[in-house]
Amino acid sequence: MNGYPYPVLTETDSAYKENIRFSITFSKYSCKQNKIVLSLASTLSSETLSNLILNNKAELVVKVVTDIRSQLFKLDGFRDKFDIEVNSEDIRPNDTIRITAFVVAKESFDFMVSDEMED
């Protein structure tokens, strides 16, 4: 199961079936006072993971990394579109901004195999 002791769902390597997707897409940015607003779109087609988020057993965490800072944003619920605000002093003009999203468990639970996963 792609080298992990548990099922992993990524854009490139997944223990889930082909039709199950999880991705974050950058849409645009804007400036607001001393902040850079990153507009993002997300896709999660796993009913199992969506229900874990809906039932508050898991959450969507977005990690934004610039050349000088790393910052985590925890989102309540799952949204198709959302904005992340980063302090502008955390970004230099020539920075590369890397955005990664995770679905993270908020409490211990037994993860059961679902029909969304590969055999």
Side-chain angles (χ1 to χ4, degrees):
M1 202 168 346
N2 53 352
Y4 296 95
Y6 43 82
V8 173
L9 174 60
T10 72
E11 286 184 280
T12 57
D13 186 23
S14 179
Y16 287 76
K17 293 182 178 175
E18 193 72 28
N19 64 325
I20 304 299
R21 299 269 184 234
F22 177 49
S23 66
I24 296 291
T25 306
F26 170 75
S27 300
K28 64 179 181 174
Y29 77 93
S30 59
C31 299
K32 182 173 86 173
Q33 296 172 339
N34 294 330
K35 299 192 182 286
I36 304 288
V37 180
L38 305 173
S39 295
L40 307 171
S42 57
T43 302
L44 177 61
S45 61
S46 168
E47 204 172 303
T48 303
L49 295 175
S50 294
N51 284 335
L52 288 171
I53 294 170
L54 182 66
N55 294 324
N56 210 29
K57 292 182 182 243
E59 64 189 342
L60 183 66
V61 176
V62 177
K63 182 177 182 182
V64 175
V65 178
T66 69
D67 290 345
I68 59 174
R69 290 273 188 272
S70 177
Q71 198 170 359
L72 292 177
F73 299 89
K74 296 179 181 182
L75 304 177
D76 293 328
F78 188 84
R79 295 176 235 149
D80 292 336
K81 296 181 185 206
F82 56 92
D83 293 336
I84 299 292
E85 293 184 357
V86 180
N87 291 330
S88 58
E89 64 266 11
D90 293 344
I91 300 174
R92 297 182 301 199
N94 60 342
D95 267 354
T96 299
I97 301 172
R98 290 173 295 285
I99 302 167
T100 310
F102 306 90
V103 176
V104 179
K106 292 176 77 173
E107 60 185 52
S108 296
F109 65 92
D110 293 326
F111 192 78
M112 308 301 285
V113 174
S114 75
D115 59 353
E116 296 176 344
M117 296 177 195
E118 293 286 351
D119 290 336

